[in-house]
PDB file of all heavy atoms in Angstrom:
ATOM      1  N   PHE A 302      -5.569  12.541  28.032  1.00  0.00           N
ATOM      2  CA  PHE A 302      -6.467  11.492  28.497  1.00  0.00           C
ATOM      3  C   PHE A 302      -5.596  10.232  28.849  1.00  0.00           C
ATOM      4  O   PHE A 302      -6.231   9.220  29.255  1.00  0.00           O
ATOM      5  CB  PHE A 302      -7.531  11.165  27.525  1.00  0.00           C
ATOM      6  CG  PHE A 302      -8.309  12.381  27.160  1.00  0.00           C
ATOM      7  CD1 PHE A 302      -8.430  12.881  25.811  1.00  0.00           C
ATOM      8  CD2 PHE A 302      -9.021  13.084  28.162  1.00  0.00           C
ATOM      9  CE1 PHE A 302      -9.154  13.935  25.518  1.00  0.00           C
ATOM     10  CE2 PHE A 302      -9.786  14.209  27.838  1.00  0.00           C
ATOM     11  CZ  PHE A 302      -9.795  14.612  26.561  1.00  0.00           C
ATOM     12  N   LEU A 303      -4.359  10.271  28.692  1.00  0.00           N
ATOM     13  CA  LEU A 303      -3.489   9.071  28.961  1.00  0.00           C
ATOM     14  C   LEU A 303      -2.683   9.217  30.218  1.00  0.00           C
ATOM     15  O   LEU A 303      -1.628   8.595  30.409  1.00  0.00           O
ATOM     16  CB  LEU A 303      -2.511   8.807  27.749  1.00  0.00           C
ATOM     17  CG  LEU A 303      -3.290   8.510  26.408  1.00  0.00           C
ATOM     18  CD1 LEU A 303      -2.296   8.518  25.271  1.00  0.00           C
ATOM     19  CD2 LEU A 303      -3.943   7.123  26.548  1.00  0.00           C
ATOM     20  N   LYS A 304      -3.136  10.109  31.112  1.00  0.00           N
ATOM     21  CA  LYS A 304      -2.445  10.317  32.343  1.00  0.00           C
ATOM     22  C   LYS A 304      -2.098   8.986  33.037  1.00  0.00           C
ATOM     23  O   LYS A 304      -2.933   8.146  33.175  1.00  0.00           O
ATOM     24  CB  LYS A 304      -3.289  11.249  33.275  1.00  0.00           C
ATOM     25  CG  LYS A 304      -2.476  12.156  34.105  1.00  0.00           C
ATOM     26  CD  LYS A 304      -3.339  13.125  34.883  1.00  0.00           C
ATOM     27  CE  LYS A 304      -2.428  13.870  35.891  1.00  0.00           C
ATOM     28  NZ  LYS A 304      -1.991  15.131  35.447  1.00  0.00           N
ATOM     29  N   GLY A 305      -0.830   8.825  33.433  1.00  0.00           N
ATOM     30  CA  GLY A 305      -0.385   7.688  34.139  1.00  0.00           C
ATOM     31  C   GLY A 305       0.084   6.623  33.162  1.00  0.00           C
ATOM     32  O   GLY A 305       0.722   5.623  33.730  1.00  0.00           O
ATOM     33  N   ILE A 306      -0.019   6.777  31.882  1.00  0.00           N
ATOM     34  CA  ILE A 306       0.494   5.788  30.933  1.00  0.00           C
ATOM     35  C   ILE A 306       1.745   6.507  30.284  1.00  0.00           C
ATOM     36  O   ILE A 306       1.611   7.576  29.715  1.00  0.00           O
ATOM     37  CB  ILE A 306      -0.529   5.477  29.835  1.00  0.00           C
ATOM     38  CG1 ILE A 306      -1.779   4.821  30.480  1.00  0.00           C
ATOM     39  CG2 ILE A 306       0.092   4.555  28.774  1.00  0.00           C
ATOM     40  CD1 ILE A 306      -2.925   4.657  29.593  1.00  0.00           C
ATOM     41  N   PRO A 307       2.912   5.894  30.453  1.00  0.00           N
ATOM     42  CA  PRO A 307       4.104   6.523  29.810  1.00  0.00           C
ATOM     43  C   PRO A 307       3.870   6.692  28.317  1.00  0.00           C
ATOM     44  O   PRO A 307       3.548   5.791  27.571  1.00  0.00           O
ATOM     45  CB  PRO A 307       5.249   5.446  30.093  1.00  0.00           C
ATOM     46  CG  PRO A 307       4.702   4.718  31.231  1.00  0.00           C
ATOM     47  CD  PRO A 307       3.189   4.679  31.107  1.00  0.00           C
ATOM     48  N   THR A 308       3.985   7.981  27.879  1.00  0.00           N
ATOM     49  CA  THR A 308       3.595   8.336  26.522  1.00  0.00           C
ATOM     50  C   THR A 308       4.559   9.311  25.896  1.00  0.00           C
ATOM     51  O   THR A 308       5.171  10.150  26.633  1.00  0.00           O
ATOM     52  CB  THR A 308       2.203   9.013  26.619  1.00  0.00           C
ATOM     53  OG1 THR A 308       1.233   8.064  27.106  1.00  0.00           O
ATOM     54  CG2 THR A 308       1.748   9.511  25.195  1.00  0.00           C
ATOM     55  N   VAL A 309       4.830   9.197  24.636  1.00  0.00           N
ATOM     56  CA  VAL A 309       5.451  10.301  23.878  1.00  0.00           C
ATOM     57  C   VAL A 309       4.504  10.703  22.825  1.00  0.00           C
ATOM     58  O   VAL A 309       3.665   9.977  22.301  1.00  0.00           O
ATOM     59  CB  VAL A 309       6.836   9.841  23.253  1.00  0.00           C
ATOM     60  CG1 VAL A 309       7.826   9.557  24.254  1.00  0.00           C
ATOM     61  CG2 VAL A 309       6.596   8.671  22.287  1.00  0.00           C
ATOM     62  N   LYS A 310       4.604  11.986  22.439  1.00  0.00           N
ATOM     63  CA  LYS A 310       3.897  12.569  21.288  1.00  0.00           C
ATOM     64  C   LYS A 310       4.890  12.754  20.223  1.00  0.00           C
ATOM     65  O   LYS A 310       5.827  13.520  20.362  1.00  0.00           O
ATOM     66  CB  LYS A 310       3.224  13.882  21.740  1.00  0.00           C
ATOM     67  CG  LYS A 310       2.465  14.656  20.683  1.00  0.00           C
ATOM     68  CD  LYS A 310       1.604  15.736  21.227  1.00  0.00           C
ATOM     69  CE  LYS A 310       2.344  16.958  21.616  1.00  0.00           C
ATOM     70  NZ  LYS A 310       1.515  18.095  22.076  1.00  0.00           N
ATOM     71  N   ALA A 311       4.657  12.110  19.080  1.00  0.00           N
ATOM     72  CA  ALA A 311       5.679  12.206  18.009  1.00  0.00           C
ATOM     73  C   ALA A 311       5.070  11.790  16.689  1.00  0.00           C
ATOM     74  O   ALA A 311       4.198  10.893  16.629  1.00  0.00           O
ATOM     75  CB  ALA A 311       6.881  11.298  18.281  1.00  0.00           C
ATOM     76  N   GLY A 312       5.424  12.489  15.655  1.00  0.00           N
ATOM     77  CA  GLY A 312       4.927  12.087  14.311  1.00  0.00           C
ATOM     78  C   GLY A 312       5.578  13.000  13.231  1.00  0.00           C
ATOM     79  O   GLY A 312       6.241  13.985  13.540  1.00  0.00           O
ATOM     80  N   PRO A 313       5.283  12.620  11.970  1.00  0.00           N
ATOM     81  CA  PRO A 313       5.843  13.409  10.841  1.00  0.00           C
ATOM     82  C   PRO A 313       5.118  14.699  10.687  1.00  0.00           C
ATOM     83  O   PRO A 313       3.862  14.770  10.936  1.00  0.00           O
ATOM     84  CB  PRO A 313       5.594  12.528   9.693  1.00  0.00           C
ATOM     85  CG  PRO A 313       4.385  11.680  10.031  1.00  0.00           C
ATOM     86  CD  PRO A 313       4.490  11.414  11.547  1.00  0.00           C
ATOM     87  N   GLY A 314       5.731  15.747  10.249  1.00  0.00           N
ATOM     88  CA  GLY A 314       5.147  17.043   9.975  1.00  0.00           C
ATOM     89  C   GLY A 314       5.633  18.132  10.944  1.00  0.00           C
ATOM     90  O   GLY A 314       6.546  17.893  11.740  1.00  0.00           O
ATOM     91  N   ASP A 315       4.953  19.273  10.852  1.00  0.00           N
ATOM     92  CA  ASP A 315       5.371  20.424  11.558  1.00  0.00           C
ATOM     93  C   ASP A 315       4.147  21.099  12.128  1.00  0.00           C
ATOM     94  O   ASP A 315       3.280  21.486  11.339  1.00  0.00           O
ATOM     95  CB  ASP A 315       6.151  21.412  10.594  1.00  0.00           C
ATOM     96  CG  ASP A 315       6.714  22.588  11.313  1.00  0.00           C
ATOM     97  OD1 ASP A 315       6.122  23.020  12.325  1.00  0.00           O
ATOM     98  OD2 ASP A 315       7.698  23.123  10.809  1.00  0.00           O
ATOM     99  N   SER A 316       4.044  21.259  13.431  1.00  0.00           N
ATOM    100  CA  SER A 316       2.806  21.797  14.010  1.00  0.00           C
ATOM    101  C   SER A 316       2.509  23.215  13.579  1.00  0.00           C
ATOM    102  O   SER A 316       1.386  23.648  13.718  1.00  0.00           O
ATOM    103  CB  SER A 316       2.869  21.698  15.553  1.00  0.00           C
ATOM    104  OG  SER A 316       3.743  22.640  16.107  1.00  0.00           O
ATOM    105  N   ARG A 317       3.519  23.960  13.097  1.00  0.00           N
ATOM    106  CA  ARG A 317       3.276  25.312  12.618  1.00  0.00           C
ATOM    107  C   ARG A 317       2.416  25.343  11.374  1.00  0.00           C
ATOM    108  O   ARG A 317       1.847  26.395  11.020  1.00  0.00           O
ATOM    109  CB  ARG A 317       4.604  26.063  12.347  1.00  0.00           C
ATOM    110  CG  ARG A 317       5.237  26.499  13.636  1.00  0.00           C
ATOM    111  CD  ARG A 317       6.654  26.925  13.465  1.00  0.00           C
ATOM    112  NE  ARG A 317       7.506  25.855  12.946  1.00  0.00           N
ATOM    113  CZ  ARG A 317       8.767  25.921  12.719  1.00  0.00           C
ATOM    114  NH1 ARG A 317       9.458  26.977  13.095  1.00  0.00           N
ATOM    115  NH2 ARG A 317       9.432  24.863  12.247  1.00  0.00           N
ATOM    116  N   ARG A 318       2.334  24.236  10.677  1.00  0.00           N
ATOM    117  CA  ARG A 318       1.477  24.161   9.445  1.00  0.00           C
ATOM    118  C   ARG A 318       0.061  23.784   9.827  1.00  0.00           C
ATOM    119  O   ARG A 318      -0.866  23.832   8.963  1.00  0.00           O
ATOM    120  CB  ARG A 318       2.006  23.023   8.536  1.00  0.00           C
ATOM    121  CG  ARG A 318       3.387  23.357   7.936  1.00  0.00           C
ATOM    122  CD  ARG A 318       3.728  22.156   7.058  1.00  0.00           C
ATOM    123  NE  ARG A 318       5.164  21.960   7.010  1.00  0.00           N
ATOM    124  CZ  ARG A 318       5.786  20.763   6.901  1.00  0.00           C
ATOM    125  NH1 ARG A 318       4.986  19.670   6.824  1.00  0.00           N
ATOM    126  NH2 ARG A 318       7.097  20.678   6.911  1.00  0.00           N
ATOM    127  N   SER A 319      -0.190  23.341  11.056  1.00  0.00           N
ATOM    128  CA  SER A 319      -1.472  22.838  11.492  1.00  0.00           C
ATOM    129  C   SER A 319      -2.461  24.076  11.584  1.00  0.00           C
ATOM    130  O   SER A 319      -2.032  25.164  11.958  1.00  0.00           O
ATOM    131  CB  SER A 319      -1.399  22.118  12.793  1.00  0.00           C
ATOM    132  OG  SER A 319      -0.465  21.076  12.785  1.00  0.00           O
ATOM    133  N   HIS A 320      -3.752  23.790  11.254  1.00  0.00           N
ATOM    134  CA  HIS A 320      -4.780  24.788  11.407  1.00  0.00           C
ATOM    135  C   HIS A 320      -4.537  26.025  10.573  1.00  0.00           C
ATOM    136  O   HIS A 320      -5.197  27.045  10.792  1.00  0.00           O
ATOM    137  CB  HIS A 320      -4.951  25.251  12.917  1.00  0.00           C
ATOM    138  CG  HIS A 320      -5.120  24.147  13.869  1.00  0.00           C
ATOM    139  ND1 HIS A 320      -5.586  24.263  15.180  1.00  0.00           N
ATOM    140  CD2 HIS A 320      -5.004  22.731  13.723  1.00  0.00           C
ATOM    141  CE1 HIS A 320      -5.622  23.085  15.796  1.00  0.00           C
ATOM    142  NE2 HIS A 320      -5.305  22.182  14.963  1.00  0.00           N
ATOM    143  N   ALA A 321      -3.607  26.005   9.638  1.00  0.00           N
ATOM    144  CA  ALA A 321      -3.233  27.183   8.828  1.00  0.00           C
ATOM    145  C   ALA A 321      -3.707  26.875   7.363  1.00  0.00           C
ATOM    146  O   ALA A 321      -3.820  25.715   6.972  1.00  0.00           O
ATOM    147  CB  ALA A 321      -1.800  27.437   8.889  1.00  0.00           C
ATOM    148  N   PRO A 322      -3.855  27.933   6.533  1.00  0.00           N
ATOM    149  CA  PRO A 322      -4.124  27.677   5.121  1.00  0.00           C
ATOM    150  C   PRO A 322      -2.886  27.071   4.410  1.00  0.00           C
ATOM    151  O   PRO A 322      -1.752  27.209   4.990  1.00  0.00           O
ATOM    152  CB  PRO A 322      -4.383  29.087   4.492  1.00  0.00           C
ATOM    153  CG  PRO A 322      -3.828  30.021   5.529  1.00  0.00           C
ATOM    154  CD  PRO A 322      -3.834  29.390   6.847  1.00  0.00           C
ATOM    155  N   ASP A 323      -3.095  26.379   3.364  1.00  0.00           N
ATOM    156  CA  ASP A 323      -2.077  25.688   2.643  1.00  0.00           C
ATOM    157  C   ASP A 323      -1.298  24.648   3.452  1.00  0.00           C
ATOM    158  O   ASP A 323      -0.080  24.442   3.281  1.00  0.00           O
ATOM    159  CB  ASP A 323      -1.046  26.717   1.965  1.00  0.00           C
ATOM    160  CG  ASP A 323      -1.740  27.488   0.814  1.00  0.00           C
ATOM    161  OD1 ASP A 323      -2.806  27.001   0.365  1.00  0.00           O
ATOM    162  OD2 ASP A 323      -1.195  28.509   0.462  1.00  0.00           O
ATOM    163  N   GLU A 324      -2.005  24.043   4.414  1.00  0.00           N
ATOM    164  CA  GLU A 324      -1.433  22.913   5.218  1.00  0.00           C
ATOM    165  C   GLU A 324      -0.920  21.880   4.208  1.00  0.00           C
ATOM    166  O   GLU A 324      -1.554  21.521   3.296  1.00  0.00           O
ATOM    167  CB  GLU A 324      -2.561  22.402   6.161  1.00  0.00           C
ATOM    168  CG  GLU A 324      -2.096  21.188   6.953  1.00  0.00           C
ATOM    169  CD  GLU A 324      -3.213  20.602   7.847  1.00  0.00           C
ATOM    170  OE1 GLU A 324      -4.229  21.273   8.008  1.00  0.00           O
ATOM    171  OE2 GLU A 324      -2.995  19.550   8.359  1.00  0.00           O
ATOM    172  N   TYR A 325       0.274  21.324   4.568  1.00  0.00           N
ATOM    173  CA  TYR A 325       0.795  20.241   3.701  1.00  0.00           C
ATOM    174  C   TYR A 325       1.647  19.334   4.498  1.00  0.00           C
ATOM    175  O   TYR A 325       2.075  19.603   5.609  1.00  0.00           O
ATOM    176  CB  TYR A 325       1.610  20.794   2.509  1.00  0.00           C
ATOM    177  CG  TYR A 325       2.889  21.465   2.975  1.00  0.00           C
ATOM    178  CD1 TYR A 325       4.083  20.708   3.077  1.00  0.00           C
ATOM    179  CD2 TYR A 325       2.929  22.793   3.333  1.00  0.00           C
ATOM    180  CE1 TYR A 325       5.249  21.293   3.454  1.00  0.00           C
ATOM    181  CE2 TYR A 325       4.165  23.414   3.667  1.00  0.00           C
ATOM    182  CZ  TYR A 325       5.312  22.666   3.778  1.00  0.00           C
ATOM    183  OH  TYR A 325       6.411  23.182   4.172  1.00  0.00           O
TER     184      TYR A 325
END
Side-chain angles (χ1 to χ4, degrees):
F302 303 121
L303 297 168
K304 214 174 170 96
I306 299 168
T308 299
V309 292
K310 178 167 76 176
D315 184 333
S316 73
R317 284 168 298 189
R318 296 179 211 146
S319 304
H320 306 193
D323 293 342
E324 176 180 350
Y325 69 89

